[in-house]
Amino acid sequence: MTPALLCNNGVVVNLPSSIGGGVANYNYMLNIDMIYKQAVVLPSSINNKEVVMLGEVWTTGNMSNKTSQNSIAITWNNFGSSVDLHGLSTHYTANAKIKVEKKFNFGNINNLQIMLSSWQSGSANAGTGWNLSDGDRINPRAKLTLYWN
């Protein structure tokens, strides 16, 4: 999974209304395909920059759980920082695409590595926290494009 980086192209993006709308110009664009728990290394030019993230996230497994909820996030700095791609839900349908429209600041990214992760709210049978043991049952995936200057 090698991210494709386009530099200094003067990329013009029509921003969705959910993140302010309008037209914006960016110097950098990065396309990434992410698989659950697999690290992706970002270019150093993204460190401490405001980023617009557009794309989609989905799960390859179904989840219908009455107690514990899962969310899907991008995490970095050993789970110390994150941005939600999809909020807590007790139900995921396999291969149903969920739109991602985010604007945020990565801050300082240690080792420039990010990871697609799942957070679990917890229940009698599931611990609270980053879902590293049984998150494979929903098996998140993401196809994202990042823009920044």
Side-chain angles (χ1 to χ4, degrees):
M1 279 209 230
T2 305
L5 176 66
L6 300 176
C7 296
N8 297 319
N9 285 343
V11 179
V12 178
V13 180
N14 288 319
L15 297 175
S17 59
S18 64
I19 56 174
V23 176
N25 293 306
Y26 293 99
N27 292 330
Y28 299 95
M29 179 178 96
L30 178 70
N31 292 315
I32 52 177
D33 293 326
M34 300 184 77
I35 295 175
Y36 180 61
K37 293 194 297 189
Q38 184 176 52
V40 172
V41 178
L42 300 178
S44 61
S45 63
I46 204 168
N47 223 14
N48 293 306
K49 300 292 174 133
E50 182 177 75
V51 174
V52 168
M53 179 185 289
L54 303 174
E56 57 193 13
V57 65
W58 66 95
T59 64
T60 60
N62 291 309
M63 179 181 126
S64 184
N65 192 333
K66 294 179 182 173
T67 55
S68 184
Q69 297 175 313
N70 278 39
S71 63
I72 300 170
I74 298 287
T75 59
W76 62 97
N77 296 347
N78 198 27
F79 303 103
S81 300
S82 66
V83 62
D84 278 344
L85 302 181
H86 185 264
L88 286 172
S89 177
T90 57
H91 182 79
Y92 284 97
T93 302
N95 301 311
K97 305 288 169 106
I98 302 163
K99 188 184 297 186
V100 174
E101 298 172 344
K102 299 284 180 179
K103 184 185 272 189
F104 63 97
N105 192 314
F106 266 123
N108 186 38
I109 308 169
N110 297 342
N111 301 322
L112 294 169
Q113 292 185 4
I114 62 172
M115 188 167 53
L116 186 61
S117 303
S118 177
W119 171 268
Q120 189 164 264
S121 65
S123 69
N125 296 320
T128 302
W130 292 107
N131 192 357
L132 299 176
S133 58
D134 64 352
D136 290 329
R137 65 192 168 98
I138 64 168
N139 203 16
R141 300 284 190 260
K143 185 173 186 71
L144 305 167
T145 303
L146 283 61
Y147 302 93
W148 71 98
N149 286 317

